[in-house]
Structure formats: C-alpha cells, structure tokens
Amino acid sequence: MNWWQKLKKNGLAQFGALLLLVFYITVVGADFVAPYSPYEQQPNGGLLPPTQIYWRNQEGQFIGPHVYPTTLGPVDRKTGDRLLKEDKDNPAPVGLFVKGPEYYLFQIVLPVPAEGSWTLVRLGRIPILWPNKWKGLEIFPGIPCDRHLFGSTTGEATVNVLGTDDQARDQFSRLVHGGRISLFIGLVGITISFPLGMIVGGISGYFGGFIDTILMRFVEVLMTIPGIYLLVALAAVLPAGLSSTQRFILIVMITSFVSWAGLARVIRGQVLSIKQQEFVQAARTMGAKPFYIIIRHVLPQTASYIVISATLSVPGFILAESVLSLIGLGIQQPDPSWGNMLALATNASILVLHPWLVWPPALMIILTVLSFNLLGDGLRDALDPRSLQR
C-alpha cells in the first residue's frame, strides 16, 4: 500500500485538506466572495447585527430571499440594547452573482522598494537600511470583473451576514480579505525558513567536524530564544509609521529567523546517517562536488520529514501573526487580519453585546490550525516507512 492510498483512508486528514482547500480558494478569490470592500463604511451602519434574510413579505406572500434597509435606532431604556429600524416598505432582493464595484480577479502585485527611498532606521541600537517608500510591482494584471458571489440586487440595502464592526464595515468582507494575510503568512514563512534549515542542517551533517560544531552551537543558541517573546520585543521597537505591507514582511522575516533552527538540527541527524549510504559514496567516488551531493542526493532523502514538518509548522506562523496583531504590534487597522479583528475581544462590552465581531475570526484561526494539524498527522502516518512496508 503506497502513501497516497493510506492517506485517502484517513478521514480526518482528508477533512483537514478539504477545509484548507476551501479556505485558500476563498481568500484567493476574496474580491469575488466578499460583497463589499473591507474598507467601505456603510452610512449609519455601525455595530449592526447579522442581517436577517426574509422569504415572505409583510402580507405573508412568498417573494424569495430579501432584506430590508436597516439602521440603528434609539436605546431601549428597559434592556439597554440598541433597537433596529427596518424599512419594511422597501424589500431588497438577495441574489447570487450580483453586479457591484469592479475589481481585478487574481491580480498579483508585489511590494518592492521604490528607487531612492532608502533611509537609515534603528531597530533598538542596531542600524538598518530600510526603504521608506514602496511601490507595487504588477506580476499579473488580473481579470476585470464586477460580479460578486452574493448581495442585494438593487443596492438599496446591505447584506451583512456577519454584521458590521464599530467603523460600519462589513465583517464578512473583512474576514475574507483578512484571511489573505493570516493564511499566506505561513506559506511565505516556510518558504523562507525551510530552505535555510535544510541547507544549514545538510552542510553541518555532511561535513561534520569543526563546521558541524560551529553551526550546531549557533543553532542551539537560536533554539534557546523563546520565539513569541522575541517577536513581541522586536515588534515593539519597530520604527513608527510602518505600513501593513512593511509589517507583514518584517513579521515573516522575524518568524522565519527563529523557526528554522529546529529543522536544521533534525536534518543534520538524518544527513549523518544518509551520507554513509552507498549511493552517496558512489557519487563522491565519481568526483561530484560536496554541495552538489548535498542538494542532489542527500536532502531529497529527507523529503518525507520535510513535508510533514512544513505542514505542522504553518500553524505556528499563523498564531504568531495573530498574537502580534491581537496586541497591536502586527497588521494595523484599517487593514484586516484575523489577529487584529480578534483584538476586539479585549473589550468586555463587545463580547457581551456584539459577539458576532469576535467568534468568526476566532473560529477561523481554530479551524485553520486544526486542519493543518490533522493533515500533518495524516501525512506523518502515510509517509512512515514502516507503514509503507505493510
């Protein structure tokens, strides 16, 4: 039985993979899935609860899904709750693939430093040359589109399936767009940290001796640094006025820097065993250079562990970004991320009176972390050499 057949029999791993696939497809097409811009403020629409969808009009006739224009009314003196005012005379039909503001689907724009924008800043006492201006480098222009997955067909009322926040912004739209940062920060993080850990571990294990001693002592020093405290300390001394793009880059760099050491140590142990194999000895006898042997013959033998470790490492990056944004040191408002959306949970009145602002980002973080762990556990069982021999 090969690893793929064994993985297909693991229902929990399949559930985690399917859920992650849905999440990533959703955030990639966030402009289409979200009915509104994550920055758009709705007139007199602050802290609205989830919009109720009706199927029958006031006379009891079935007219299909529709909503009514809703605003906040006066405070109820008995309960202290804000009353809702619904304009029952103007039903607004709700439909799929509704026409709305134009956007560019699948557009890819990478932030790059603008020319002549470098300045000297200090990270604590350490001077760093840092760009103070960024520009967008268009990789793919995107497909112009003006259709959204759902919404009001007339535009006379808003459809806020998860309500609105204190700035009158649609919570569902911010949740979907915020997932781009929270989900992709893990993928970008392992793209940076894993090659570094593999190369350092491969060199250390293959050459051994003095090189191994120096590299492993450096790795051990990094492993003794508590990651989350380092993140908080470094984020607190960042220069003021950084954009969310700059903070995203710094968070990825910091988390990648402190997360590769454990991988390097494990890879080093595997390479110590692999380099004694006959195919490595044969390549060495034929005159292959050491770096070529490490990249071409040794590291591919650790692929199963790397795949499993990468899958299980992504939640760490997601949680790190969420914690930093939660305490105000990560992605800053008005740019959404699941972490800074969850920051509203620190307000007790929000938890009691407006719980729809808290549970969606918390639930998304929990489901994402759980899905990666389920998929990682499934891959670990499927790629176990002992199980493949059965």
Side-chain angles (χ1 to χ4, degrees):
M1 182 184 299
N2 60 34
W3 70 271
W4 177 247
Q5 293 175 335
K6 188 173 181 62
L7 183 63
K8 289 196 296 185
K9 291 186 176 182
N10 191 324
L12 290 177
Q14 289 187 7
F15 171 77
L18 179 61
L19 202 58
L20 290 174
L21 182 63
V22 172
F23 286 170
Y24 278 98
I25 291 177
T26 300
V27 300
V28 167
D31 295 297
F32 167 72
V33 175
Y36 310 105
S37 167
Y39 308 104
E40 179 184 354
Q41 294 180 315
Q42 302 175 6
N44 197 21
L47 296 176
L48 289 177
T51 302
Q52 183 176 354
I53 298 178
Y54 298 88
W55 295 83
R56 298 179 181 273
N57 61 13
Q58 299 305 299
E59 288 74 29
Q61 300 174 335
F62 180 83
I63 61 173
H66 62 280
V67 295
Y68 297 106
T70 305
T71 57
L72 285 176
V75 178
D76 189 339
R77 294 183 178 180
K78 294 182 180 180
T79 62
D81 296 334
R82 294 289 297 272
L83 300 177
L84 295 179
K85 296 172 61 177
E86 294 182 328
D87 187 0
K88 299 289 187 177
D89 297 328
N90 295 304
V94 176
L96 298 175
F97 308 109
V98 177
K99 187 175 182 179
E102 188 179 48
Y103 58 89
Y104 292 90
L105 191 63
F106 305 129
Q107 184 183 39
I108 302 176
V109 179
L110 297 179
V112 296
E115 296 181 3
S117 65
W118 298 88
T119 184
L120 188 66
V121 299
R122 290 189 174 275
L123 188 61
R125 295 184 177 181
I126 304 174
I128 296 178
L129 199 61
W130 182 258
N132 54 18
K133 291 183 180 180
W134 296 74
K135 65 179 181 179
L137 177 62
E138 188 176 78
I139 304 299
F140 180 68
I143 305 170
C145 184
D146 62 356
R147 296 287 172 173
H148 297 263
L149 180 60
F150 66 93
S152 172
T153 58
T154 63
E156 297 179 358
T158 57
V159 184
N160 308 118
V161 294
L162 294 178
T164 60
D165 62 8
D166 55 342
Q167 300 296 321
R169 299 170 298 201
D170 181 56
Q171 185 76 348
F172 177 77
S173 299
R174 291 182 61 78
L175 185 73
V176 174
H177 282 273
R180 286 181 169 178
I181 291 177
S182 297
L183 288 175
F184 281 98
I185 195 170
L187 299 184
V188 177
I190 63 174
T191 302
I192 297 174
S193 64
F194 270 58
L196 182 60
M198 291 169 56
I199 292 174
V200 172
I203 292 175
S204 178
Y206 184 83
F207 289 103
F210 178 75
I211 295 177
D212 179 34
T213 301
I214 295 298
L215 290 178
M216 284 302 102
R217 297 299 80 77
F218 178 66
V219 165
E220 289 169 359
V221 170
L222 285 181
M223 293 179 66
T224 61
I225 301 175
I228 190 62
Y229 298 110
L230 176 65
L231 288 171
V232 172
L234 291 178
V237 298
L238 291 179
L242 293 180
S243 66
S244 290
T245 300
Q246 295 170 315
R247 286 184 174 272
F248 175 83
I249 295 172
L250 284 176
I251 290 173
V252 170
M253 292 175 60
I254 295 171
T255 51
S256 301
F257 179 75
V258 299
S259 62
W260 64 268
L263 174 68
R265 191 167 182 83
V266 175
I267 294 297
R268 177 248 187 191
Q270 294 188 353
V271 171
L272 285 173
S273 174
I274 294 173
K275 73 177 184 179
Q276 303 299 330
Q277 300 294 323
E278 293 180 355
F279 65 92
V280 177
Q281 299 294 337
R284 188 181 301 165
T285 303
M286 294 176 65
K289 296 182 179 180
F291 191 74
Y292 175 83
I293 295 175
I294 294 172
I295 299 298
R296 181 65 179 84
H297 297 289
V298 177
L299 290 182
Q301 300 300 313
T302 66
S304 60
Y305 173 80
I306 292 170
V307 171
I308 298 169
S309 182
T311 307
L312 295 174
S313 297
V314 172
F317 288 93
I318 296 175
L319 292 175
E321 182 277 326
S322 299
V323 170
L324 288 177
S325 298
L326 175 63
I327 61 179
L329 297 176
I331 307 302
Q332 301 295 304
Q333 296 284 356
D335 298 307
S337 78
W338 291 346
N340 64 21
M341 292 177 67
L342 194 59
L344 293 173
T346 57
N347 190 328
S349 63
I350 294 292
L351 286 173
V352 176
L353 300 177
H354 313 290
W356 63 84
L357 298 179
V358 178
W359 65 262
L363 182 62
M364 293 303 296
I365 293 174
I366 292 172
L367 289 178
T368 302
V369 173
L370 178 63
S371 297
F372 271 111
N373 287 332
L374 291 176
L375 179 59
D377 288 340
L379 288 172
R380 181 179 57 195
D381 295 338
L383 294 173
D384 186 355
R386 291 169 296 182
S387 66
L388 295 178
Q389 296 173 359
R390 299 173 185 174

